[in-house]
Amino acid sequence: MRVGILGSGLMGGKLGTIFARAGHEMVFSYARSEQKLKRLAREAKGKARPGTPGEAAKEADALLLAVHWLRIDDVLNQTGDLSGKVIVTCSLPMNDDNTELVVAHTSSGAEELATMIPKARVVSAFNTVPSEVLFGIYEARRKATRPSLVYCGDESSSKGIAAALIRDVGFDAVDAGPLRIARYTEPFALLVAQLAYEGKGGAELAYRFERFGR
Ligand SMILES: NC(=O)c1ccc[n+]([C@@H]2O[C@H](COP(=O)([O-])OP(=O)(O)OC[C@H]3O[C@@H](n4cnc5c(N)ncnc54)[C@H](OP(=O)(O)O)[C@@H]3O)[C@@H](O)[C@H]2O)c1
């Protein structure tokens, strides 16, 4: 797949690197320094290059949106037309100092994003785990038991693309339903962050859902 990264920070940089190692063709975009994008592309060691958000979007099968909520407008203004594009967003609708969700309960960041780019196909994924755990999960991807990762969206083919990327990282992809379920997954992401950053065991934390009784 061709995957464009919009926001090459903790999440975008690491997921982009993993996607490249899993064999995808990557464009890293949107950081404050061109040098950083070049370094990420070089160190990803796959088919990866630095580019502008427009270049990342061009001919992409999927785009990972991984910027702070306050930067969404800015990055979207630089991508060009996103009609028909699969946008996998891990961005949480956080306030300036990352202490609270600014959209919740009656809507979600993912739904707000979908209204900003109505012709794109938005899937919410990767927002419920800390960046610190991603490389470890990729390393452990051949183990029998995989951690879960919830995702949601309104359209099956874009969800299929997101699920393939989720599995490539090493997760068990858990379809949580339509995009409005991001109203539940986004606050859940804050619970996971609380446990990761304030709990005793460290930030390399993931979760696993198990069914009993059948
Ligand atoms: N970090 C996590 O563990 C985690 C987990 C779940 C969800 N999330 C969500 O994922 C999203 C991304 O989080 P993150 O931790 O990856 O953020 P981050 O490390 O701050 O990355 C954001 C990216 O945006 C770039 N950027 C910021 N301002 C810019 C500007 N003016 N011009 C160009 N580029 C600019 C940053 O550039 P630089 O590279 O130069 O800094 C960076 O590459 C957020 O919405 C967050 O809530 C994060």
Side-chain angles (χ1 to χ4, degrees), residues 6-14 29-33 36-37 40 65-72 74 78 89-94 98 125-132 134 189 193 197:
L6 302 173
S8 296
L10 289 171
M11 293 298 284
K14 289 176 188 176
S29 81
Y30 203 73
R32 279 164 290 201
S33 104
K36 180 179 181 183
L37 298 176
L40 278 169
L65 181 64
V67 297
H68 193 278
W69 188 245
L70 299 174
R71 309 253 23 122
I72 299 252
D74 187 55
Q78 297 179 42
T89 179
C90 72
S91 296
L92 292 165
M94 303 303 291
N98 286 315
F126 296 113
N127 51 1
T128 53
V129 285
S131 70
E132 285 83 352
L134 294 169
Y197 300 120

Side-chain angles (χ1 to χ4, degrees), residues 83-162:
S83 298
K85 295 286 182 194
V86 176
I87 313 291
V88 179
T89 179
C90 72
S91 296
L92 292 165
M94 303 303 291
N95 62 358
D96 200 359
D97 58 3
N98 286 315
T99 53
E100 281 178 12
L101 291 167
V102 295
V103 182
H105 190 51
T106 54
S107 186
S108 60
E111 289 167 280
E112 297 296 309
L113 175 69
T115 63
M116 292 178 213
I117 42 173
K119 292 182 179 161
R121 298 140 74 202
V122 174
V123 182
S124 174
F126 296 113
N127 51 1
T128 53
V129 285
S131 70
E132 285 83 352
V133 80
L134 294 169
F135 284 128
I137 287 169
Y138 185 66
E139 293 306 317
R141 68 193 177 282
R142 292 194 181 87
K143 288 192 178 163
T145 304
R146 291 177 151 215
S148 306
L149 191 94
V150 290
Y151 67 104
C152 58
D154 286 337
E155 191 257 333
S156 65
S157 67
S158 51
K159 287 175 79 172
I161 287 173

